[in-house]
Amino acid sequence: MSALVRILRFTRSLTPYYIGIMISAAIVTAAGLAVPFITGRATDIVVDAVTAIAGGNDVSETAIRSVLLLALALLAASLIDTVVSNVGGYWGDVMSAKMRAILSTRYFDKLLNLPQRYYDNELTGTIVSRLNRSITEITNFMKSFSNMFVMLILTTLSVLVISIWYYWPLALLLAIAYPTYFWLTALTSRKWQRIEGEKNEHVDIASGRFAEVVGQIKVVKSFARESSELEHFKDHFGNTVTLTKEQSAYWHKMDTLRRAVLNVIFFGIYLLIFVRTVQGHFSPGEMVMLIQLMALAREPVTSLSWVVDTAQRAIAGSRSYFEVMELDPAKIEGTGGRPHAPSISDGPDVPMISFKNVRFGYDDADDVLDGISFEVDRGERIAFVGESGGGKTTLINLLMGLYATRSGDIEVAGIDADLMTLRQTIGVVFQDPALFSGTVAENIAYGKPDATEEEIAAVARRAAVDSFVAKFPNGYETLIGERGMKLSGGQKQRIAVARAMLKDAPILVLDEATSALDTKSERLVQAGLDDLMRGRTSLIIAHRLSTIAEVDRIVTLKNGRIDEIGTPAQLASSGGIYAELLALQNSSSKADRKRLRDFEVIG
Ligand SMILES: Nc1ncnc2c1ncn2[C@@H]1O[C@H](COP(=O)(O)OP(=O)(O)O)[C@@H](O)[C@H]1O
Ligand SMILES: [Mg+2]
């Protein structure tokens, strides 16, 4: 019930549809209830007329007129049913489409605003599968519920009242039938739901893997893992079959029981009606009417089980839906801080970026960074050097506000408190270029959707994108496939660089931005980047030492802490990591090369 209330509250804007559907259901039900009375009345007229004819009388004109009118009434009732149920059906369709739109959009909106950390622990396919199932089930339920709820109540009440009027023991038997059936149905529900949850989990896991495998099909093929991936997938669905057998056997056993109980009760009802008619308490017409009425009374009972069935699914579905909707970003994130603007009292000369004793680790794992403090002045170029896995990318993630720190402070001048402006202030080229399907132009303009063709062409030139795009028959309109699959690593990286260039943000972050490029292209892109960095606060994680020889300062990281900070010249002679790397770069021994690779740096 609380699930229903939540859904209703969530989709308040659909209230007119719910009401419309309920009214049409009420009219259809009323038309249906009229039928037994009409046929009952007709039966009595027919029986009287036939008896009269048997007694030697003429065919009565009034009887014919009456049955004609009654037949017309039947026609009217079925026409009303036909028209109104179609109108209600239309409203039902629109209602479910709208509901699907509302629930999906809110879900997407919620997901878009969940912290990065949530995504680190979820599979894309699982998120999608859960969304689809939850929403389909909630929507189906609301549709059948708004259709059947009124029908159920109205039919039940009218049948009860009519039976009390004609013969109260009939009403008593019905009054026993309804709650018994409902109780048995509810009893079935708990176990059914538990198994349904287990089944869904299997489907979600399989779908998550499915999406991952399809997304990285190349790796699967290259390692010849098709059959084992398929096996894995099949196993999960195999489990759902096993679970369904248990679930369905149970359900049908319970259904047999509850329907048998119902059959016995209705046996009693029919027996009463027949015997009372034979005894002369009911006319044949009344008997026909009552029998039809009881058939109608049976309907809500069985459709009740359908409502309960979809309700069970909807409850399970809405649970996982609302679980996501009610996630508290702050809880996922932990209690630490995000980058914020320095206080005004700090004066006008505050550094562009300052890390103050920052400590951070992912989830519950050990600290990746600890006691990180440094400042970057406006327009300064600063490079980070450290071993692979040393936390350089993590540092950038923290600066972008993708994760909250465990302790310490990050201040970025010129931003408001919110993350949106922070991220608008930073142009970033990630280690993994991460493009979208769509055209080259769309990807370059991702950070500035209203960019003109000239602007796109200009940055494309500076990022050496133009040289390879010129060879595509469709030029900038070339579709690049999912995540840019149709491009080489270097081409993707150049588009990512162009994308950051076009954003033209005050802070530039380059995380091994040219690692996939050959020396020649790298030189071209580097020239464009040097140009871009001029007068712009820049943080660079280098892949080649040569690309950071010109920076203002270098920060070296060691074991999650800052080892040294200084100009390239200072660090070259300090005997620290940078000096070591420089020396290694000039050496040709195998061991030295290997050591260099540990730093992801090549000579
Ligand atoms: N999303 C993540 N979740 C958990 N651990 C992570 C995540 N990203 C990186 N790490 C861990 O954090 C450490 C630092 O990684 P990273 O900052 O990428 O290093 P670098 O960029 O210096 O090579 C590594 O030990 C890595 O395993
Ligand atoms: Mg990295």
Side-chain angles (χ1 to χ4, degrees):
M1 212 54 190
S2 67
L4 177 67
V5 172
R6 260 201 306 201
I7 297 167
L8 284 175
R9 205 181 309 135
F10 220 68
T11 53
R12 204 171 287 142
S13 61
L14 297 177
T15 313
Y17 286 93
Y18 296 142
I19 294 175
I21 295 167
M22 287 185 180
I23 290 176
S24 62
I27 295 173
V28 169
T29 310
L33 280 168
V35 172
F37 288 95
I38 299 169
T39 44
R41 184 82 201 101
T43 311
D44 278 343
I45 292 172
V46 170
V47 170
D48 286 348
V50 170
T51 326
I53 290 168
N57 287 323
D58 280 346
V59 177
S60 147
E61 291 278 327
T62 35
I64 290 181
R65 205 169 310 119
S66 300
V67 286
L68 187 70
L69 279 176
L70 286 170
L72 281 173
L74 275 182
L75 174 68
S78 44
L79 280 178
I80 288 173
D81 178 304
T82 306
V83 172
V84 176
S85 63
N86 274 303
V87 172
Y90 169 78
W91 283 335
D93 289 344
V94 176
M95 190 274 279
S96 13
K98 285 197 171 210
M99 179 177 263
R100 172 167 281 274
I102 292 174
L103 294 178
S104 306
T105 312
R106 299 238 181 116
Y107 196 82
F108 191 34
D109 184 22
K110 177 76 189 186
L111 282 179
L112 286 174
N113 290 300
L114 283 180
Q116 184 65 37
R117 192 164 173 173
Y118 173 76
Y119 291 94
D120 289 351
N121 300 314
E122 290 281 346
L123 291 185
T124 319
T126 307
I127 297 178
V128 173
S129 153
R130 209 188 292 138
L131 167 76
N132 284 339
R133 190 189 46 250
S134 308
I135 291 179
T136 306
E137 281 163 5
I138 295 174
T139 313
N140 281 348
F141 168 67
M142 287 312 285
K143 199 171 159 183
S144 65
F145 180 79
S146 48
N147 246 318
M148 294 200 178
F149 184 67
V150 175
M151 193 272 275
L152 281 175
I153 304 271
L154 213 66
T155 317
T156 314
L157 285 181
S158 357
V159 171
L160 278 176
V161 170
I162 297 165
S163 359
I164 291 177
W165 175 262
Y166 278 94
Y167 187 51
W168 65 266
L170 290 177
L172 185 70
L173 283 175
L174 282 175
I176 297 171
Y178 288 121
T180 312
Y181 195 83
F182 193 77
W183 173 69
L184 284 172
T185 304
L187 202 65
T188 323
S189 138
R190 202 174 311 142
K191 184 169 177 182
W192 191 93
Q193 263 191 57
R194 178 181 59 71
I195 300 177
E196 187 67 6
E198 286 175 36
K199 273 162 65 180
N200 289 344
E201 207 164 301
H202 281 293
V203 173
D204 287 348
I205 294 174
S207 314
R209 189 71 187 180
F210 179 94
E212 227 184 352
V213 165
V214 170
Q216 315 199 71
I217 189 70
K218 206 160 147 187
V219 183
V220 178
K221 284 185 185 296
S222 310
F223 286 82
R225 289 296 298 269
E226 291 95 332
S227 56
S228 64
E229 290 294 353
L230 187 65
E231 214 46 50
H232 181 80
F233 189 74
K234 215 166 79 185
D235 281 351
H236 278 296
F237 276 96
N239 286 332
T240 67
V241 174
T242 317
L243 286 167
T244 303
K245 281 182 187 161
E246 186 192 344
Q247 185 189 33
S248 182
Y250 175 72
W251 192 90
H252 284 288
K253 198 175 73 196
M254 294 300 283
D255 191 50
T256 311
L257 175 68
R258 64 187 174 181
R259 276 162 63 176
V261 169
L262 204 64
N263 292 341
V264 172
I265 293 176
F266 272 88
F267 158 76
I269 288 175
Y270 288 125
L271 196 65
L272 280 179
I273 294 175
F274 294 153
V275 171
R276 300 276 299 170
T277 311
V278 172
Q279 290 173 342
H281 295 291
F282 296 148
S283 74
E286 279 169 336
M287 185 188 89
V288 168
M289 187 270 288
L290 284 173
I291 286 173
Q292 286 193 356
L293 209 58
M294 290 308 141
L296 274 184
R298 249 188 124 116
E299 213 170 278
V301 186
T302 31
S303 48
L304 188 69
S305 80
W306 156 249
V307 172
V308 170
D309 197 48
T310 52
Q312 283 167 340
R313 289 171 191 273
I315 290 167
S318 71
R319 192 172 296 139
S320 55
Y321 181 85
F322 286 109
E323 231 165 57
V324 173
M325 292 308 289
E326 278 158 16
L327 281 177
D328 180 2
K331 279 223 181 80
I332 302 175
E333 195 68 277
T335 49
R338 300 275 198 93
H340 56 90
S343 62
I344 300 164
S345 61
D346 290 349
D349 309 323
V350 290
M352 190 71 179
I353 299 167
S354 66
F355 274 60
K356 294 179 176 167
N357 210 8
V358 169
R359 190 168 72 83
F360 175 78
Y362 291 96
D363 293 318
D364 303 324
D366 291 346
D367 289 347
V368 173
L369 298 171
D370 188 15
I372 300 290
S373 299
F374 64 87
E375 292 181 348
V376 188
D377 288 330
R378 239 165 256 270
E380 192 184 9
R381 282 189 275 177
I382 193 160
F384 296 87
V385 171
E387 265 184 77
S388 165
K392 304 182 294 297
T393 300
T394 302
L395 206 75
I396 302 305
N397 290 343
L398 292 179
L399 174 65
M400 303 288 297
L402 292 171
Y403 299 90
T405 61
R406 279 184 180 165
S407 65
D409 239 7
I410 302 172
E411 291 178 351
V412 180
I415 62 160
D416 292 336
D418 76 318
L419 288 168
M420 213 53 133
T421 42
L422 167 74
R423 290 169 189 163
Q424 271 154 7
T425 311
I426 306 174
V428 61
V429 181
F430 284 114
Q431 204 164 357
D432 152 29
L435 303 178
F436 285 102
S437 60
T439 67
V440 174
E442 280 165 6
N443 271 283
I444 294 178
Y446 193 67
K448 193 182 177 188
D450 56 353
T452 62
E453 262 176 53
E454 290 72 39
E455 286 175 305
I456 293 174
V459 291
R461 216 165 21 248
R462 284 160 75 192
V465 170
D466 60 341
S467 56
F468 70 85
V469 166
K471 293 185 194 127
F472 295 158
N474 293 327
Y476 287 99
E477 295 311 310
T478 306
L479 294 168
I480 63 172
E482 194 177 32
R483 278 174 288 121
M485 202 141 69
K486 294 185 186 170
L487 300 175
S488 79
Q491 289 170 339
K492 277 190 277 195
Q493 225 164 26
R494 279 179 272 176
I495 291 178
V497 168
R499 178 171 69 182
M501 281 178 168
L502 186 59
K503 191 172 172 189
D504 197 22
I507 298 175
L508 181 68
V509 171
L510 303 172
D511 190 351
E512 307 193 15
T514 54
S515 59
L517 298 186
D518 57 277
T519 328
K520 187 170 149 243
S521 316
E522 182 172 39
R523 205 166 299 140
L524 280 174
V525 176
Q526 196 58 48
L529 284 174
D530 286 341
D531 191 33
L532 184 70
M533 283 189 274
R534 201 158 298 132
R536 208 180 293 260
T537 313
S538 311
L539 284 77
I540 307 137
I541 297 169
H543 180 63
R544 267 177 248 263
L545 286 188
S546 60
T547 59
I548 58 167
E550 304 285 305
V551 299
D552 299 310
R553 282 189 301 160
I554 293 174
V555 175
T556 59
L557 295 170
K558 195 173 183 180
N559 302 328
R561 295 181 161 272
I562 292 184
D563 194 38
E564 296 175 292
I565 303 185
T567 63
Q570 283 168 346
L571 297 198
S573 54
S574 67
I577 299 169
Y578 183 67
E580 187 193 350
L581 287 174
L582 277 180
L584 291 173
Q585 193 181 295
N586 295 326
S587 155
S588 56
S589 93
K590 235 181 187 166
D592 289 351
R593 289 270 141 204
K594 185 183 172 303
R595 178 98 182 100
L596 256 184
R597 271 202 303 279
D598 283 345
F599 281 88
E600 293 180 324
V601 171
I602 38 178

